[in-house]
Amino acid sequence: MEDTDVILLWGSNARNAHPIWFHHLLKGVRNGARLYVIDPRRTESAQWADVWLGNHVGSDIALSNTMAREIIHAGLHHKDFIANGCSGFDEYAASVESYTLERGETLTGVPAAVIRECAHAYAKADKAMICWTLGITEHHDAADNVLALINLALLTGHVGKWGSGCNPLRGQNNVQGGGDMGAIPNRLPGFQTMLDPAICERFEKHWGVALQPNEGLNLTQMIHAMAHKELTALFVIGENPAQSDADANHVRAALAGLDHLVVQEICMTKTAEMAHVLLPAAASWCESDGTVTNSERRVQRCRKAVDPPAGAKDELWIINEIGKRLGKELNVTDPETVWNEFRTVAPNFAGGMSYARLEEHHGLQWPCPDESHPGATFLHGRLWEQGDARGRAAPFTVVKHEGPVEMPDADFPFLLTTGRHLDAYNTGVQTAGFGSPLFRGETLDMSPEDASVYGIHEGDKVRVTSRRGSLTTIARVDRALRPGLVFMTLHYPDEAMTNVLTIDASDPKSGTAEFKACAVNVTLATSAIPAFR
Amino acid sequence: MTMPHLKLVQLSRPTREPKRMIELTIDGRAVSVPEGSTILNACQALGIEVPTLCWLETLTPVNVCRVCVVEVEGARVLAPSCSREVEAGMKVKSRSERVDLTRKLVLEMLASSVDLSTSPGMAEMLAEYGAAPERFGECETVAQPVKVDNDLYVRDYAKCVLCYKCVEACGEDHQNTFAIAVAGRGFHAHISTEFAVDLPESACVYCGNCIAVCPTGALMSKREWELREAGQWDESKQTQTDTVCPFCGVGCTLTLHVQEGEIVKATSPLDNDITVGNLCVKGRFGWRHVQNGRTPSAS
Amino acid sequence: MDVKLLTAEPTADERAAVDARLGPPSSAWDGGLDRTPRDLHLAYGGKSQRDRRHLLLPALQALQERIGWISEGGFGYVCERLSVPPADAWGVATFYMMLATTPRPKRVLHVCDDIACRIKGAKAACDGLRAHHSPPLAHGVVGGHGDARPGTHVTLNEFHGAWTTSPCLGLCDVAPAALYLEAGKAPVERSLGDVTSDAAMGLLGGGAEPADVLAPAPLGDPTKRVAPHDGTHIGSLGERRLLKRVGVADPTSLASYRAHGGYAALDRAFALGPEGVIKELNDAKLLGRGGAAFPIGRKWEAVRTQPERERYIICNADESEPGTFKDRVLLTGDPFAIVEALTIGAYAAGCSKGYVYIRGEYPLGAERIQGAINQARAAGLLGENVAGRGFAFDIEVRRGAGAYICGEETAIFESIEGKRGEPRNKPPFPVQHGLFDKPTIVNNVETLANVLPILVEGGAAAAKIGTAQSAGTRLFCVSGHVGRPGVYELPMGATLGELMTLAGGVAGTGTLQAILLGGAAGAFVRPDELSLKLTHEDTRAAGVTLGSGVVVAFDSSVDMKDVLLRIAQFFRDESCGQCVPCRVGTVRQQESLVRITTGKPLGGVSGELALLDEIGAAMKDGSICGLGQTAYAAIESAIKRLQLVRA
């Protein structure tokens, strides 16, 4: 990051959401990197940009495809890299052919000349990076958005080398680690697939239990399954779906309809309040030991610094006890043993990451197959190799611009998009009570032009309504927004549950909901009507 | 298909050319350090102790406090070792009558104008150089009321030695927020927000990276300040444990300072590649949720 | 960058003032009032915005000149236009004493109470103003130690002016002096001489705007060797080389300049080539006249041979050393010479951009030099193709804003870059890392003025003037108790006595008590030392310095302890505050002198003198720049050479 020449920060307000990572980005900028920020809002991050491209919400594929066409037409694509390491170029090139600069401008709102400038700068750079966050992934076509950006990186050869690549910034401290360890519905530890009988057999042998050789449900699918009574019991560990998921009214109804809801939690959340069984737990990051994996695949140790409050139990203790109740002695004694077992079942992934080495190196980046391996600072270098060393070619994927599922219309004239505040985190469970002077709670942010047209002043109480729900909150005027676009966070559900508004349209490939776009109406609220509780 | 020119692409991190070694002598002892090193680096390589106040390894040297001055043979005036780069054949004295006199006076000037009661190591430094600040008699100081204008940190500029560290940490060296700067000039130079507004009106984002680098306790977290005011702050009863921040995916190392079962402060190690000692508001102060009377009870 | 502004809005006047200096906003993100459809989808910023930081001081000056002070709204607008964080800009705004961050009336009179003026009636004028008008505006910055946020809504009487004391205004020859500033759409800036409290009160009470004491007077007869071209006396021993055109040529006319030999040196430079120019300067043994006496040829050569192609040349016209006004005379009397000399320097060293950094207290000088630049540009002597020789060079004038420290060569860089004028540690030296971190030449006005006769006469011939070690002629600023205060050009090697005679001898009581030689950073000499030869080597041997050519004569009536206290006050006022030895040392030094002069020395006078000596040693040895390093020099000489304080 600090050594790169061009950075495309796409759908990310990292200045607020990933502040310390942004320090590194700024080092790159101070070292001379040119920064393009692509975001419908002119965020704090965008204010650092050499060029801010304020595209329409949900027009990322259109922008990416337009850039790709321009790069190809200008002959700036990396022909040798593509020939050596990629597949499906011709089909891809044909698919972007209709995305002329003019059409790109129409679809994205960004002037054609600026799209061209950005495309050329990215393609011509010696080293360039694309970094993104939820602005790319919280859409109904999330995976396609990501693939569109990967296409750009492949097209220009900005992968598999120092100072280049694709950098998705994980929103949560161990979402990567959860996936690493197999806490995702479609993978075993180390991202090994359960659809491969040989792999399944290896795990069955190791664990001494039979595995179901099929993929599970993702969160969005689970909620649908609950709604349809196909799923009747749920064990929630450290998640607050009653407030954190799109179309909250729908989610809460689904949770309420469960036969059995077990919640393991460190605080009394809204989800915990609904539980049939509540398991008070230690806060894993400071009341117990273990590892977490950050955005750059770095596995680091976390350690117990304080005792949990009376009654709260260590997570391993809880798992052991559940095992016992289910008739299986798990004998999970301590975190290091768990970790070492993981190393054993995913040796190519983490075999070289002993606790001792993690301590010594302040964490290691996977894959790290053996104890002499320094960890991998970047991936996909193999695409530059030839023959067997190259492995499977990286495929271009044809993706099409669709735009948000729900667009503003006469009844719901605004597009609501969501994001984060610097001093708050998710639904505020952990950040609500630390006395941040920056705290301003939930607001409906709107452009000065709209505020003027609709006669709304900063501080006015407004009613925000979508096809799914309605709430009241306080208006705030923000120049970061353009007319027609309004903004809320998801941090303060007890004040204003933004998720009663959001749409549960979700990405079939990843299960992510379209938090970034739904149509709403905003009116002055004459009297306080309590929001959905 | 062969692609010989593909091989020309630089894939791995460029290895920097090994730096030329510079030979010099300090206090008559020869030492060889990489080009671009400072005299302070060279002293450290020899195990020679040089006092510093405004220097920190994670910040650009500003060479303003002048306690690290050394004598370079042939130079008209003393050189700040923290920023002066070594040159081949340089002859340096880390201690001499001139060096000691300037260090003593600098310490006396500071101690006579600033409250150094919470500056770690200051009493020892004053003793080492025989500094007697009282010999200036009744003199002008920077005494002023403490600024308590928010719930996270306290600014007691009566303790400020104007080392610029907080300004650098808030500015280009790390945070790039520039909420504070040195304002005024001469003896009236001081750290300030624009128009001296309270922090909540300023650009401050409460990352506390200024607190982390303050060498005198002029900047302090509110919790530490309260415990000190109550006479309850006791570092001998504190443990420090490194863990990882629970917010976002960056994975900042948090050092939790725990006194009698209570987290009282969070910092991050200076030698950490990810943080370089920095945190954001959530990391530095967001730990309160684990001890905010959290009593989960089984229903 | 993500700049967070205070909520105050600029007034229309404030917007207009800033826009006039910076040009209109390029978009809504650049301070524009209305957002265009394009603005909603596009913003340029980043490096192109950060690179405009150097315009900060000019933009703040624009507010000061138009409004009379810098309000939160106007300040915020400047920050928005330049994307400079407000706290950072606040640090700059509060560094310069001519910028006010609290409300001020439109008319403000800066009354000099520095050494040369205070012995000629300034004390009485200030006392009169204090007694019959108002206390002076506070020095220092509101928001200083422990101050609360300053009020922003003070009611001002538009017609009632205010006054403040000032350090040396460079008008010692017309002492007691003042600078009259009137904010407005067409701001008025006037240098005043022979100031009395009655005259001052008349102005502040709404009297007609005054005439500039330096305003163009009829050109004098050069044969008389005293030309009241700008209100001062000039004279010389021997041939005038530096003052040749002063009072003779019309300083507002390029044609007149050419008619008096102007641009002959540039032609010669083109004939010699860059290396040839530098050789002539080396042959002439020209040393810098700013105080450090560094060989100018070596400086130019060092920049010429840098690998970095982006290079700068700066004329240091921030003359602020108390008692100094020679550069003012050159700037007002022969401005084209500065332009020509900078052009030659740029040609020799390969610089494409030059700056004249002129102190804010020299309005006429700034006007004249800007006029000369404009005419030279129009005549093709600046610009893309200078004199048709295929080399590009242009000059920009930057005005200081009340900070002595900005005459320090690295503080100039900081100031031009839009920062606080805090000197840098050296090394690295400016010839490698100067303005914008690029190789840079900084030359004082008088130094540059020397380049022209050297190229015309030839270096070897020029070296024959003066002494072997101190070649050439030198300008001296004579003020205080002399018959004809003014600027005098002498071949080096002439004596102090000869200079005194040339300036009309001792005036006042007629009995000389002491002379301050070299400025506040110089040293005192005794009446029995008039045979001192004015050369580098002779002054060094005597333990004094030529400094910036200051000669202030004190007659027997002067309270020298008051003079010493004023010098001590000067240094503590002008210390930038960056390094401890100078920031605190200048205060401790002043406190010690106060104790001595009020008869309350700690540990007896000898104890106090020992303490002063240690403070002085730490300042000299430990300070970052020349200000701290010389802050004890004059005081030390008063104690040791004049025996002014005895144990």
Side-chain angles (χ1 to χ4, degrees):
Chain A
M1 179 105 263
E2 295 174 13
D3 285 347
T4 195
D5 302 317
V6 167
I7 301 166
L8 307 189
L9 183 65
W10 203 317
S12 164
N13 187 10
R15 178 64 154 162
N16 274 358
H18 302 89
I20 298 299
W21 178 81
F22 205 76
H23 285 191
H24 295 270
L25 177 142
L26 288 180
K27 285 225 160 62
V29 166
R30 298 281 189 193
N31 286 341
R34 194 165 166 83
L35 175 66
Y36 292 83
V37 175
I38 297 124
D39 196 310
R41 295 189 300 142
R42 189 164 184 261
T43 60
E44 292 85 348
S45 308
Q47 291 175 42
W48 279 95
D50 290 285
V51 188
W52 166 62
L53 290 78
N55 63 331
H56 292 308
V57 174
S59 68
D60 306 289
I61 291 173
L63 183 60
S64 164
N65 282 356
T66 306
M67 286 172 61
R69 182 189 185 275
E70 174 60 26
I71 288 167
I72 294 166
H73 276 250
L76 296 173
H77 53 305
H78 200 307
K79 298 163 199 77
D80 293 335
F81 174 77
I82 294 167
N84 184 68
C86 304
S87 63
F89 172 72
D90 292 340
E91 204 186 332
Y92 172 64
S95 77
V96 299
E97 189 52 33
S98 65
Y99 291 87
T100 60
L101 287 174
E102 294 67 32
R103 184 169 172 233
E105 174 168 337
T106 307
L107 293 174
T108 65
V110 179
V114 180
I115 301 177
R116 182 178 181 279
E117 181 203 326
C118 180
H120 282 240
Y122 177 69
K124 286 180 187 164
D126 186 28
K127 303 184 288 290
M129 276 196 175
I130 308 180
C131 311
W132 68 84
T133 321
L134 301 178
I136 283 297
T137 52
E138 286 183 349
H139 287 282
H140 79 279
D141 48 359
D144 285 355
N145 275 344
V146 172
L147 289 166
L149 304 187
I150 290 171
N151 286 338
L152 277 183
L154 293 176
L155 187 63
T156 50
H158 289 317
V159 285
K161 51 182 189 174
W162 178 257
S164 295
C166 297
N167 195 347
L169 299 166
R170 312 302 314 241
Q172 290 152 31
N173 87 320
N174 198 29
V175 65
Q176 183 68 51
D180 293 355
M181 300 296 281
I184 40 175
N186 60 351
R187 287 286 189 272
L188 291 162
F191 297 100
Q192 301 174 77
T193 174
M194 62 270 281
L195 303 181
D196 180 336
I199 292 173
C200 244
E201 196 190 319
R202 195 150 53 77
F203 275 92
E204 287 176 338
K205 213 165 153 186
H206 191 85
W207 286 340
V209 290
L211 295 181
Q212 296 178 18
N214 46 17
E215 296 181 351
L217 302 179
N218 63 38
L219 181 54
T220 318
Q221 291 164 334
M222 281 188 215
I223 289 165
H224 281 278
M226 287 189 274
H228 295 101
K229 300 289 176 192
E230 290 159 14
L231 184 66
T232 56
L234 194 67
F235 184 9
V236 177
I237 304 177
E239 179 99 12
N240 187 16
Q243 295 186 316
S244 63
D245 282 42
D247 196 356
N249 292 343
H250 177 69
V251 175
R252 295 189 59 141
L255 288 171
L258 286 167
D259 295 343
H260 189 54
L261 174 61
V262 183
V263 175
Q264 176 181 320
E265 195 38 275
I266 63 167
C267 311
M268 202 61 186
T269 63
K270 285 288 181 286
T271 308
E273 284 172 4
M274 298 176 77
H276 300 103
V277 178
L278 175 62
L279 303 171
S284 58
W285 69 277
C286 64
E287 292 168 351
S288 62
D289 282 278
T291 60
V292 289
T293 311
N294 76 354
S295 234
E296 50 168 359
R297 297 168 282 100
R298 187 186 297 270
V299 178
Q300 302 189 95
R301 287 274 285 107
C302 63
R303 298 176 185 82
K304 176 173 175 167
V306 283
D307 289 325
K313 296 294 186 189
D314 189 86
E315 291 155 309
L316 285 184
W317 183 90
I318 294 173
I319 288 175
N320 267 323
E321 290 300 310
I322 290 174
K324 276 184 204 164
R325 305 295 203 280
L326 295 174
K328 172 86 182 172
E329 277 294 343
L330 295 172
N331 289 323
V332 187
T333 49
D334 68 286
E336 187 169 3
T337 310
V338 177
W339 178 251
N340 284 336
E341 185 204 293
F342 171 67
R343 292 170 62 208
T344 312
V345 298
N348 293 335
F349 187 85
M353 296 182 178
S354 65
Y355 261 33
R357 287 195 78 211
L358 292 178
E359 301 268 357
E360 184 192 341
H361 297 280
H362 288 187
L364 288 164
Q365 287 168 283
W366 61 249
C368 178
D370 60 65
E371 300 223 0
S372 63
H373 195 284
T377 50
F378 59 86
L379 302 178
H380 313 302
R382 66 176 179 83
L383 296 175
W384 295 93
E385 303 287 340
Q386 287 160 53
D388 290 345
R390 191 205 67 184
R392 192 174 73 95
F396 282 98
T397 313
V398 171
V399 288
K400 283 193 197 125
H401 168 73
E402 288 179 3
V405 170
E406 193 175 67
M407 288 299 283
D409 55 25
D411 295 332
F412 299 97
F414 294 95
L415 192 81
L416 170 70
T417 193
T418 61
R420 289 181 172 183
H421 286 168
L422 169 65
D423 61 336
Y425 181 68
N426 288 358
T427 56
V429 171
Q430 290 138 290
T431 49
F434 75 94
S436 165
L438 300 169
F439 179 89
R440 64 168 183 249
E442 193 59 83
T443 52
L444 184 278
D445 296 354
M446 66 195 316
S447 69
E449 291 87 351
D450 281 339
S452 163
V453 168
Y454 289 82
I456 293 170
H457 298 94
E458 185 140 327
D460 284 351
K461 183 170 277 189
V462 288
R463 170 156 293 283
V464 189
T465 310
S466 78
R467 289 188 171 83
R468 291 152 297 279
S470 181
L471 55 78
T472 57
T473 186
I474 304 299
R476 181 174 163 271
V477 177
D478 186 354
R479 271 162 50 100
L481 295 160
R482 70 173 76 96
L485 187 63
V486 294
F487 175 85
M488 292 181 73
T489 77
L490 307 169
H491 296 314
Y492 317 97
D494 296 341
E495 283 177 39
M497 180 111 92
T498 309
N499 271 328
V500 304
L501 305 170
T502 51
I503 187 166
D504 76 340
S506 62
D507 178 33
K509 295 182 191 167
S510 65
T512 314
E514 189 151 273
F515 290 100
K516 293 298 183 194
C518 73
V520 297
N521 190 16
V522 181
T523 53
L524 273 173
T526 44
S527 63
I529 302 168
F532 177 88
R533 282 283 182 270
Chain B
M1 182 168 28
T2 54
M3 301 260 180
H5 45 290
L6 269 184
K7 291 283 176 205
L8 296 176
V9 175
Q10 170 77 46
L11 296 184
S12 58
R13 179 178 197 154
T15 46
R16 312 237 188 281
E17 281 197 17
K19 284 187 177 164
R20 207 157 61 89
M21 297 302 281
I22 304 288
E23 292 181 10
L24 67 157
T25 61
I26 301 176
D27 299 340
R29 296 162 65 191
V31 62
S32 178
V33 289
E35 191 172 13
S37 302
T38 62
I39 295 176
L40 180 63
N41 297 145
C43 288
Q44 287 165 337
L46 283 174
I48 294 171
E49 210 169 300
V50 176
T52 60
L53 261 181
C54 68
W55 175 86
L56 194 68
E57 62 262 40
T58 57
L59 299 171
T60 310
V62 288
N63 60 64
V64 299
C65 77
R66 316 304 277 191
V67 299
C68 76
V69 288
V70 293
E71 200 172 328
V72 175
E73 195 179 286
R76 191 172 48 86
V77 295
L78 301 174
S81 63
C82 68
S83 64
R84 180 66 178 273
E85 285 187 14
V86 295
E87 290 161 27
M90 214 179 218
K91 291 194 173 69
V92 176
K93 285 187 204 159
S94 77
R95 295 289 290 261
S96 72
E97 216 173 294
R98 281 170 68 193
V99 167
D100 284 13
L101 178 70
T102 293
R103 286 183 187 169
K104 179 182 81 166
L105 264 290
V106 161
L107 291 169
E108 287 174 338
M109 287 175 187
L110 288 175
S112 64
S113 51
V114 182
D115 170 5
L116 298 173
S117 61
T118 52
S119 294
M122 188 55 77
E124 295 79 359
M125 225 193 276
L126 288 166
E128 168 76 23
Y129 290 92
E134 63 282 356
R135 68 196 182 114
F136 292 125
E138 289 235 348
C139 55
E140 201 171 334
T141 72
V142 301
Q144 58 190 290
V146 60
K147 288 182 198 286
V148 187
D149 57 16
N150 69 86
D151 284 344
L152 297 186
Y153 45 95
V154 168
R155 297 176 292 153
D156 187 354
Y157 289 128
K159 293 179 175 174
C160 176
V161 293
L162 214 69
C163 68
Y164 288 56
K165 281 178 176 172
C166 57
V167 175
E168 291 201 292
C170 187
E172 199 167 323
D173 274 352
H174 296 300
Q175 178 60 28
N176 282 280
T177 289
F178 303 91
I180 46 171
V182 177
R185 77 178 191 211
F187 193 76
H188 296 288
H190 62 285
I191 306 294
S192 183
T193 57
E194 64 274 23
F195 290 91
V197 299
D198 285 348
L199 274 193
E201 265 187 273
S202 77
C204 178
V205 292
Y206 303 93
C207 60
N209 294 329
C210 52
I211 297 179
V213 296
C214 179
T216 64
L219 304 175
M220 203 177 268
S221 81
K222 182 104 176 275
R223 186 69 189 130
E224 177 175 344
W225 181 75
E226 286 167 348
L227 288 170
R228 283 181 186 271
E229 290 285 294
Q232 291 166 6
W233 181 262
D234 186 352
E235 285 177 14
S236 70
K237 289 186 188 159
Q238 291 175 11
T239 57
Q240 294 185 21
T241 308
D242 283 357
T243 186
V244 175
C245 177
F247 305 108
C248 99
V250 176
C252 299
T253 295
L254 277 189
T255 305
L256 295 177
H257 301 241
V258 175
Q259 180 176 322
E260 296 170 295
E262 186 204 350
I263 302 172
V264 292
K265 181 157 84 171
T267 57
S268 189
L270 295 181
D271 64 353
N272 186 278
D273 287 348
I274 296 173
T275 67
V276 200
N278 299 294
L279 293 169
C280 76
V281 59
K282 299 187 287 290
R284 198 170 299 275
F285 300 108
W287 40 263
R288 285 194 192 165
H289 69 272
V290 296
Q291 50 198 41
N292 265 1
R294 153 184 154 234
T295 49
S297 53
S299 56
Chain C
M1 64 182 76
D2 47 349
V3 169
K4 187 192 169 202
L5 302 173
L6 297 177
T7 51
E9 293 284 333
T11 64
D13 265 3
E14 287 168 337
R15 266 181 192 277
V18 174
D19 289 351
R21 192 66 52 99
L22 301 180
S26 60
S27 78
W29 307 117
D30 185 29
L33 282 170
D34 297 313
R35 303 208 289 184
T36 64
R38 187 179 161 86
D39 291 339
L40 301 175
H41 292 279
L42 172 66
Y44 284 101
K47 186 167 186 304
S48 62
Q49 221 169 16
R50 291 195 297 277
D51 285 349
R52 284 157 53 85
R53 165 66 185 253
H54 66 101
L55 296 169
L56 178 60
L57 190 52
L60 292 172
Q61 286 169 320
L63 284 173
Q64 179 69 39
E65 287 164 17
R66 176 76 169 257
I67 314 297
W69 69 288
I70 297 166
S71 75
E72 280 188 25
F75 175 84
Y77 185 60
V78 169
C79 292
E80 185 182 7
R81 288 296 317 270
L82 297 174
S83 197
V84 176
D88 197 357
W90 176 251
V92 176
T94 56
F95 187 85
Y96 297 94
M97 288 302 131
M98 290 175 76
L99 301 178
T101 51
T102 48
R104 275 192 182 179
K106 298 270 187 207
R107 290 186 169 194
V108 175
L109 192 65
H110 297 250
V111 183
C112 177
D113 71 342
D114 217 325
I115 41 181
C117 283
R118 75 193 286 117
I119 60 170
K120 299 278 287 268
K123 262 188 108 172
C126 290
D127 288 346
L129 281 166
R130 273 195 193 90
H132 305 296
H133 187 270
S134 64
L137 293 170
H139 265 293
V141 176
V142 179
H145 296 303
D147 283 3
R149 181 181 191 174
T152 52
H153 300 290
V154 177
T155 314
L156 295 174
N157 182 337
E158 284 287 312
F159 301 103
H160 192 80
W163 72 286
T164 178
T165 55
S166 171
C168 181
L169 290 167
L171 298 165
C172 320
D173 47 336
V174 293
L179 179 68
Y180 172 81
L181 299 177
E182 185 177 326
K185 210 165 183 175
V188 180
E189 303 173 74
R190 298 280 189 267
S191 298
L192 311 182
D194 300 318
V195 172
T196 62
S197 60
D198 285 348
M201 281 188 286
L203 279 176
L204 298 179
E209 99 190 15
D212 196 308
V213 67
L214 308 179
L219 295 175
D221 177 351
T223 59
K224 287 190 179 164
R225 302 206 165 195
V226 174
H229 79 290
D230 77 346
T232 194
H233 293 278
I234 61 169
S236 66
L237 272 185
E239 191 197 351
R240 290 187 195 179
R241 298 167 71 244
L242 311 175
L243 296 173
K244 189 170 88 173
R245 278 176 294 265
V246 175
V248 177
D250 179 354
T252 63
S253 160
L254 176 58
S256 173
Y257 179 67
R258 280 187 182 280
H260 289 86
Y263 279 104
L266 182 62
D267 287 343
R268 179 82 186 120
F270 285 136
L272 289 166
E275 286 164 69
V277 169
I278 290 168
K279 182 175 179 301
E280 294 296 325
L281 297 178
N282 286 334
D283 288 350
K285 295 192 257 177
L286 177 60
L287 304 180
R289 302 297 198 233
F294 190 83
I296 183 175
R298 267 173 59 195
K299 196 184 269 191
W300 288 19
E301 177 69 7
V303 168
R304 192 185 73 81
T305 53
Q306 289 295 316
E308 169 66 50
R309 306 302 298 176
E310 186 183 337
R311 305 167 189 167
Y312 297 95
I313 182 166
I314 298 174
C315 169
N316 183 352
D318 194 55
E319 175 174 74
S320 303
E321 185 68 39
T324 318
F325 47 96
K326 63 190 170 68
D327 293 348
R328 184 202 87 211
V329 168
L330 292 174
L331 288 158
T332 54
D334 198 11
F336 288 98
I338 310 302
V339 174
E340 183 183 357
L342 279 171
T343 310
I344 292 168
Y347 170 71
C351 310
S352 56
K353 174 93 194 250
Y355 287 88
V356 176
Y357 188 94
I358 182 168
R359 67 180 303 201
E361 295 87 345
Y362 282 176
L364 186 67
E367 185 187 310
R368 291 268 169 84
I369 193 81
Q370 186 65 61
I373 290 167
N374 294 348
Q375 287 188 46
R377 194 182 293 127
L381 294 165
L382 289 173
E384 286 306 306
N385 185 8
V386 174
R389 298 292 180 136
F391 113 91
F393 176 66
D394 213 330
I395 304 173
E396 187 178 335
V397 175
R398 286 297 179 91
R399 296 187 67 182
Y404 166 72
I405 191 62
C406 289
E408 199 279 340
E409 62 177 352
T410 59
I412 283 194
F413 305 151
E414 296 288 315
S415 187
I416 293 177
E417 290 175 17
K419 300 172 190 161
R420 296 164 56 78
E422 293 177 351
R424 304 174 186 172
N425 216 78
K426 291 183 281 192
F429 292 102
V431 292
Q432 290 164 317
H433 299 276
L435 183 63
F436 302 117
D437 204 33
K438 304 295 181 191
T440 304
I441 294 169
V442 185
N443 285 143
N444 159 271
V445 173
E446 184 187 345
T447 312
L448 286 169
N450 269 282
V451 170
L452 307 183
I454 286 171
L455 288 190
V456 173
E457 297 158 359
K464 290 188 183 129
I465 303 166
T467 67
Q469 289 175 59
S470 299
T473 53
R474 181 99 207 215
L475 298 182
F476 291 92
C477 321
V478 187
S479 66
H481 293 122
V482 292
R484 285 186 298 275
V487 173
Y488 297 88
E489 179 172 0
L490 275 64
M492 295 230 249
T495 67
L496 186 54
E498 287 174 289
L499 175 58
M500 284 294 290
T501 306
L502 197 60
V506 181
T509 62
T511 310
L512 189 63
Q513 183 176 187
I515 288 174
L516 179 62
L517 186 61
F524 287 96
V525 296
R526 298 181 303 270
D528 62 5
E529 294 179 291
L530 291 178
S531 59
L532 177 69
K533 283 188 177 167
L534 298 172
T535 67
H536 296 296
E537 58 276 17
D538 290 282
T539 51
R540 198 179 304 124
V544 296
T545 173
L546 290 178
S548 55
V550 168
V551 175
V552 186
F554 303 94
D555 75 6
S556 54
S557 71
V558 174
D559 174 2
M560 292 305 290
K561 285 178 181 167
D562 175 66
V563 172
L564 280 200
L565 284 175
R566 185 64 187 87
I567 291 174
Q569 182 70 36
F570 175 81
F571 282 108
R572 72 163 280 176
D573 286 348
E574 298 298 334
S575 167
C576 78
Q578 195 185 185
C579 69
V580 176
C582 178
R583 177 177 78 236
V584 187
T586 52
V587 174
R588 296 290 174 264
Q589 166 174 281
Q590 186 223 22
E591 289 166 344
S592 176
L593 279 175
V594 168
R595 287 193 298 264
I596 291 173
T597 52
T598 53
K600 298 171 196 159
L602 281 174
V605 174
S606 62
E608 201 71 73
L609 291 181
L611 185 61
L612 260 180
D613 242 11
E614 286 199 8
I615 296 168
M619 288 197 290
K620 185 174 177 181
D621 235 3
S623 296
I624 290 178
C625 79
L627 188 150
Q629 288 164 11
T630 57
Y632 181 51
I635 291 160
E636 182 180 22
S637 78
I639 294 167
K640 295 180 182 168
R641 302 187 92 260
L642 298 188
Q643 306 262 302
L644 206 59
V645 183
R646 284 185 201 137

